[in-house]
């Protein structure tokens, strides 16, 4: 049992106290593919550099590609330079791995290919003294997982009389509940459950493994980890890229199968499961399976409709700021495709700990940023103490797990702003991986393959977990097959469909998007702002989305917020509903009613799909009070727009 290894980093500090992986041969099916060059080979290279691979170890690649051992070594030597995650490339270490790479071509439905493979393994076992231990890695399309398992059995390659034999099965494990059950049945016909390692690369991420370490090694949070203190939880996995040439695969998958059913449910299980009795693999896997089986089923179409929102991106902007095609224009995607590239979902866990606590999940491609975050929002403190002090409401505390690319944990809470008034501002305490650890960044596959070689299945999925995860999402798949949908419904490069904001706002909550200072610096109003101002705005601004033609502000209402346009345009309407001005990206509106504490003077309507930042009146006032420069620019713009005299002191005094 190697439980202590799971939670260590793969760098200078992690290496010293870790034993090497067990001697074995590793066979990669699909060795000429993308996964092998981008993630697997860099992971083995990292393990070699960290001294974690045995000298009694070699890799055999196999695929249809008619490569030879020589040409495979040459190809991998070129690819590693592109995909290595280490700051400096060490040719010596690479050579020591490269000289242990072998290749045998073959089709998986060809029996002779497996006979050739068996012969090569016999030779290498004698040469490398691996004691008959072999790990088979299925880095292939899922359609051939079953075929490979049966071919291995036919060729006698699952014989454990001399040395263990294990298989790693890549995701996606099935395409729905029935196919996952059938695939499990097929694999388990030839292999025992303890030989099967179903991989999910999210469990290889240090920040994901750290969820368990954080929860169970700190006495401070666990007493709060339940329905009495936690208001709700949000999981967001945003990707700014599109389908990256994988349209053929993606169109049969969609975000539900590609991200939610596996990666996101794994994170959810870690965050919400009960403390296991130990870190023994079965103890952890039991708790993960138990928590997923407590998820409330959406067993009527109406429940699916009420708790989920699907989206598909249309043409828009890519992360480089250049025009990006819509999903239906991507290569290998049919022009009428109904595949979802975005999903937001609300679910509940019916157990004693979580009953009544909504859990919101969302993930999508071609969103405005790349970022995976988990937000645990606690219930607000009672605010009666502050009545009459100028503090309107108390923001709830939040614990934010920054999974990637930003890696860390942040606690958000309120502090008194310096000065004679009682005024509060949201502030934070942060732990950053980069500041605390020297470990080099890996691919996530290091810890997974290392643990598998040592027979530790903690980070891998058991049959029951995989099937339970499919059971939860099956009602969505069933309904979506027949229910028409209006796609595309969000432009590339935006915050996703408006309906996903409605989903959470119906419950009186908001998506807590994690903004960065860099995002704010792009907005003209904040250019030149110092770090302190940006830091406080990052926590105060709330993203909201409006569809074209939707009203953002209605004349006559009391203003409660300022709006800043991140993307899109709005029209300001005159008395007769005529457009008197159009405002674009980087500008703001809604300030005059806040400055004068008077009703809104004009109606504002979204001209196109709009992503807006909302700044509550209390935060707006605080910023004005603290930042004379910001106050000056807002006043100048307000005066030029409305030709009214604004007394800044009025608003500042009123608020204090
Ligand atoms: P690729 O399509 O790039 O590679 C597939 C490999 O399988 C190729 O080497 C191909 O050989 C081989 N192959 C396919 N069918 C046969 C067959 N009948 N006989 C022999 N060889 C065959 O896929 P990826 O590498 O991207 O993905 C592999 C798996 O990893 C998938 O399950 C995917 O979901 C999973 N995955 C991939 C990730 C990635 O970033 N790429 C990330 C996480 C998971 P040849 O080239 O000779 O045709
Ligand atoms: C893969 C999905 O499993 O995970 C991809 O197939 C997705 O579509 C990727 O982009 C995301 O992984 P990561 O580690 O970049 O978050």
């Amino acid at each position: 049992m190697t439980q202590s290894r799971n939670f260590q980093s793969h760098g200078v500090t992690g290496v010293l106290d870790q034993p090497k992986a067990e001697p074995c041969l590793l066979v990669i099916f699909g060795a000429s593919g993308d996964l092998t060059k981008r993630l697997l080979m860099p992971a083995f290279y990292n393990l070699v550099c960290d001294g974690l691979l045995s000298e009694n170890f070699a890799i055999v690649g196999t695929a249809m590609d008619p490569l030879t051992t020589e040409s495979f070594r040459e190809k991998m030597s070129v690819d590693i330079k592109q995909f290595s995650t280490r700051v400096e490339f060490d040719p010596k270490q690479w050579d020591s791995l490269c000289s242990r790479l072998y290749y045998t071509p073959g089709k998986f439905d060809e029996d002779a290919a497996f006979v050739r493979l068996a012969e090569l393994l016999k030779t290498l076992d004698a040469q490398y003294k691996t004691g008959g231990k072999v790990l088979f890695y299925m880095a292939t399309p899922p359609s051939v997982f079953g075929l490979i398992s049966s071919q291995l059995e036919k060729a006698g390659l699952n014989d454990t009389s001399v040395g263990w034999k294990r298989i790693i099965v890549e995701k996606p494990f099935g395409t729905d509940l029935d196919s996952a059950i059938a695939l499990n049945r097929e694999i388990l016909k030839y292999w025992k459950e303890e030989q099967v390692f179903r991989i999910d690369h999210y469990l290889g991420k240090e920040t994901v493994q750290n969820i368990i370490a954080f929860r169970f090694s700190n006495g401070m949070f666990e007493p709060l980890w339940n329905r009495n203190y936690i208001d709700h939880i949000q999981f967001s996995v945003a990707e700014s890229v599109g389908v990256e040439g994988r349209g053929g695969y993606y169109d049969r998958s969609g975000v539900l199968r590609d991200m939610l059913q596996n990666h996101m449910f794994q994170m959810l299980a870690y965050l919400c499961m009960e403390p296991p009795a130990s870190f023994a693999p079965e103890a952890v896997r039991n708790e993960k399976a138990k928590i997923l089986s407590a998820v409330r089923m959406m067993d009527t179409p109406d429940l699916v409709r009420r708790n989920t929102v699907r989206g598909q991106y249309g043409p828009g902007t890519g992360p480089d700021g250049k025009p990006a095609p819509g999903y239906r224009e991507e290569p290998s995607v049919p022009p009428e495709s109904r595949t979802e590239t975005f999903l937001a979902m609300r679910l509940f866990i019916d157990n004693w700990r979580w009953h009544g606590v909504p859990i919101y999940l969302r993930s999508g491609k071609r969103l405005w940023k790349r970022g995976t975050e988990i937000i645990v929002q606690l219930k607000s403190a009672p605010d009666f103490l502050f009545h009459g002090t100028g503090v309107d409401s108390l923001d709830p505390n939040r614990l934010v797990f920054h999974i990637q690319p930003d890696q860390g944990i942040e606690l958000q809470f309120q502090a008194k702003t310096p000065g004679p008034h009682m005024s509060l501002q949201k502030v934070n305490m942060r732990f950053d991986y980069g500041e605390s650890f020297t470990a080099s960044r890996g691919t996530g596959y290091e810890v997974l393959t290392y643990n598998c070689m040592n027979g530790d299945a903690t980070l891998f999925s058991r049959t029951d977990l995989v099937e339970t995860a499919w059971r939860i999402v099956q009602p969505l798949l069933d309904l979506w097959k027949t229910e028409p949908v209006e796609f595309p419904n969000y432009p590339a490069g935006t915050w996703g469909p408006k309906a996903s904001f409605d989903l959470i706002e119906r419950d009186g909550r908001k998506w807590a998007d994690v903004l960065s200072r860099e995002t704010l610096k792009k907005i003209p109003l904040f250019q030149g702002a110092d770090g302190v101002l940006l830091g406080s705005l990052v926590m105060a601004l709330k993203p909201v989305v409006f569809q074209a033609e939707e009203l953002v502000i209605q004349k006559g209402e009391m203003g409660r917020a300022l709006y800043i346009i991140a993307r899109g345009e709005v029209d300001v309407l005159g008395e007769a509903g005529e457009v008197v001005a159009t405002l674009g990206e980087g500008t703001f509106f809604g300030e005059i009613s806040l400055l004068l504490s008077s009703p809104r003077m004009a109606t504002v309507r979204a001209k196109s799909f709009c992503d807006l930042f909302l700044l509550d009146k209390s935060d707006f006032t605080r910023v004005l009070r603290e930042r004379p420069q910001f106050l000056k620019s807002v006043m100048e713009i307000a005066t030029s727009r409305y030709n009214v005299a604004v007394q800044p002191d009025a608003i500042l005094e009123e608020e204090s």
Side-chain angles (χ1 to χ4, degrees):
M1 172 54 216
T2 55
Q3 66 236 30
S4 62
R5 292 179 204 131
N6 288 343
F7 304 107
Q8 291 177 351
S9 49
H10 280 269
V12 183
T13 48
V15 176
L16 300 178
D17 52 359
Q18 290 195 74
K20 287 181 191 293
E22 280 190 36
C24 66
L25 296 175
L26 171 80
V27 178
I28 304 178
F29 293 101
S32 57
D34 182 66
L35 179 71
T36 305
K37 69 173 181 203
R38 270 201 322 115
L39 295 163
L40 295 183
M41 220 37 93
F44 296 122
Y45 168 63
N46 282 340
L47 287 173
V48 170
C49 292
D50 289 345
L52 292 169
L53 280 188
S54 165
E55 282 73 41
N56 305 101
F57 173 82
I59 297 178
V60 177
T62 177
M64 279 186 280
D65 222 319
L67 297 172
T68 61
T69 288
E70 276 322 301
S71 55
F72 182 56
R73 287 180 182 175
E74 275 163 28
K75 177 176 163 6
M76 292 295 123
S77 299
V78 173
D79 292 337
I80 192 70
K81 301 225 172 81
Q82 186 182 352
F83 296 110
S84 165
T85 61
R86 295 188 98 78
V87 181
E88 275 183 29
F89 183 71
D90 184 339
K92 250 195 184 158
Q93 300 284 12
W94 170 249
D95 289 347
S96 97
L97 179 64
C98 189
S99 63
R100 291 184 274 164
L101 300 183
Y102 298 84
Y103 187 86
T104 171
K107 279 192 186 161
F108 302 144
D109 55 3
E110 189 195 335
D111 294 357
F114 285 80
V115 174
R116 285 197 302 274
L117 176 65
E119 280 162 11
L120 178 59
L121 290 179
K122 206 166 155 201
T123 311
L124 295 177
D125 181 45
Q127 184 178 338
Y128 287 94
K129 301 188 177 37
T130 46
K133 297 171 194 163
V134 191
L135 173 54
F136 299 100
Y137 197 121
M138 300 198 199
T140 66
S143 53
V144 293
F145 293 163
L147 173 67
I148 297 173
S149 323
S150 71
Q151 288 285 39
L152 286 172
E153 195 251 0
K154 228 197 270 177
L157 284 169
N158 66 345
D159 174 14
T160 51
S161 55
V162 187
W164 52 252
K165 307 288 181 299
R166 295 177 187 141
I167 53 173
I168 294 188
V169 188
E170 257 299 341
K171 64 149 276 237
F173 197 88
T175 52
D176 58 11
L177 179 58
D178 287 345
S179 61
I181 293 175
L183 180 57
N184 269 325
R185 205 174 290 145
E186 185 165 13
I187 292 178
L188 294 174
K189 229 193 294 177
Y190 313 111
W191 300 81
K192 296 200 186 80
E193 177 66 42
E194 62 268 23
Q195 292 179 286
V196 184
F197 289 70
R198 297 171 194 82
I199 204 162
D200 183 310
H201 79 279
Y202 264 57
L203 293 184
K205 292 182 192 288
E206 286 294 342
T207 43
V208 174
Q209 292 170 42
N210 190 46
I211 297 171
I212 302 199
F214 178 85
R215 279 189 60 196
F216 301 131
S217 68
N218 296 296
M220 188 174 165
F221 296 99
E222 199 51 27
L224 309 179
W225 219 249
N226 58 52
R227 67 193 148 87
N228 297 324
Y229 296 96
I230 292 180
D231 177 72
H232 76 279
I233 303 172
Q234 300 183 13
F235 291 82
S236 294
V237 181
E239 296 192 273
S240 54
V241 293
V243 289
E244 304 286 282
R246 293 162 74 215
Y249 152 76
Y250 197 86
D251 203 58
R252 277 176 274 119
S253 172
V255 71
L256 177 63
R257 293 182 172 101
D258 191 49
M259 298 296 290
L260 193 113
Q261 184 272 347
N262 32 70
H263 304 325
M264 295 188 78
F265 279 0
Q266 294 285 358
M267 292 194 286
L268 178 133
Y270 270 6
L271 197 89
C272 298
M273 72 186 197
E274 293 302 308
S278 74
F279 276 134
E282 291 320 308
V284 175
R285 291 174 359 143
N286 287 344
E287 293 308 334
K288 284 172 69 181
K290 255 167 62 188
I291 196 75
L292 285 197
S293 54
V295 170
R296 193 183 301 167
M297 290 294 161
M298 293 182 210
D299 43 18
T300 65
D302 207 41
L303 280 175
V304 175
R305 283 184 207 113
R306 265 194 283 142
N307 288 294
T308 64
V309 169
R310 330 168 237 177
Q312 188 192 77
Y313 61 86
T317 314
D320 53 3
K322 296 192 180 139
Y327 175 69
R328 290 175 174 182
E329 287 90 57
E330 298 275 11
S332 313
V333 173
E336 301 293 310
S337 171
R338 291 173 11 156
T339 300
E340 82 290 352
T341 60
F342 177 96
L343 173 64
M345 181 183 202
R346 181 181 72 155
L347 54 78
F348 290 94
I349 296 177
D350 284 333
N351 69 3
W352 193 259
R353 188 188 282 268
W354 295 116
H355 185 75
V357 177
I359 298 180
Y360 303 94
L361 303 111
R362 64 178 171 161
S363 178
K365 296 243 181 235
R366 278 272 185 250
L367 295 176
W368 64 292
K369 67 160 188 184
R370 172 173 182 244
T372 299
E373 287 111 17
I374 304 171
I375 292 165
V376 178
Q377 180 157 320
L378 285 104
K379 293 189 172 167
S380 292
D383 60 2
F384 65 90
L385 258 179
F386 292 89
H387 289 171
T389 64
V391 173
D392 304 338
S393 61
L394 297 182
D395 275 333
N397 298 133
R398 278 189 192 143
L399 188 61
V400 184
F401 293 85
H402 296 272
I403 304 294
Q404 65 178 24
D406 190 11
Q407 299 186 314
I409 295 179
E410 175 184 352
L411 181 62
Q412 299 182 346
F413 56 100
Q414 322 239 32
K416 179 182 171 300
T417 47
H421 309 292
M422 174 49 84
S423 154
L424 298 176
Q425 183 184 323
K426 216 175 206 181
V427 293
N428 65 346
M429 291 195 289
R430 261 192 84 109
F431 143 68
D432 260 299
Y433 271 76
E435 285 169 14
S436 304
F437 299 121
T438 54
S440 52
R441 277 191 188 209
T443 63
Y445 283 83
E446 294 81 357
V447 68
L448 293 166
T449 47
Y450 173 88
N451 279 11
C452 181
M453 289 182 228
N454 286 325
D456 184 339
T458 315
L459 298 178
F460 295 85
S461 298
R462 222 168 43 191
T463 313
D464 51 347
L465 183 112
V466 172
E467 291 180 6
T468 307
W470 279 118
R471 205 160 277 125
I472 298 168
V473 301
Q474 191 60 45
L476 283 66
L477 295 171
D478 291 341
L479 182 71
W480 293 355
K481 249 188 264 168
T482 53
E483 187 136 289
V485 59
E486 269 207 24
F487 278 168
N489 59 355
Y490 70 98
T494 62
W495 292 341
K498 158 81 176 149
S500 69
F501 285 76
D502 298 342
L503 175 83
I504 189 166
E505 283 166 19
R506 271 201 300 272
D507 293 347
R509 301 185 171 92
K510 281 196 182 310
W511 290 114
D513 256 299
V514 178
L515 304 174
S516 71
R517 293 170 190 214
E518 277 55 49
T519 319
L520 294 191
K521 274 189 204 153
K522 290 185 197 144
I523 297 174
L525 183 62
F526 303 130
Q527 271 161 14
D530 59 62
V532 177
L533 175 58
L534 291 176
S536 84
L537 286 169
V538 153
M539 270 179 281
L541 292 172
K542 299 181 181 98
V544 282
V545 166
F546 288 85
Q547 306 263 41
E549 303 298 312
E550 214 180 332
L551 290 188
V552 184
I553 280 180
Q554 186 104 46
K555 185 173 174 191
E557 284 174 354
M558 278 311 285
R560 308 195 60 80
L562 173 88
Y563 293 88
I564 299 155
I565 306 176
R567 262 168 302 278
E569 287 183 327
V570 298
D571 284 331
V572 182
L573 307 183
E575 290 296 332
E578 77 286 11
V579 175
V580 293
T582 296
L583 306 176
E585 291 180 9
T587 49
F588 63 85
F589 59 93
E591 75 290 354
I592 197 75
S593 154
L594 305 186
L595 290 167
L596 298 177
S597 283
S598 61
R600 298 286 194 197
M601 291 171 74
T603 294
V604 178
R605 189 177 61 197
K607 184 174 181 190
S608 61
F609 189 99
C610 280
D611 289 339
L612 308 177
F613 288 119
L614 180 153
L615 186 64
D616 280 331
K617 186 176 179 185
S618 54
D619 287 314
F620 174 66
T621 315
R622 176 175 54 76
V623 175
L624 292 185
R625 185 184 302 128
E626 290 165 13
R627 302 291 153 158
Q629 200 47 45
F630 183 72
L631 174 62
K632 195 165 157 254
S633 22
V634 172
M635 303 287 294
E636 277 169 12
I637 293 172
T639 308
S640 70
R641 277 181 184 167
Y642 294 94
N643 198 19
V644 287
V646 181
Q647 277 307 322
D649 293 351
I651 178 170
L652 302 184
E653 276 161 19
E654 179 209 331
E655 282 296 315
S656 61

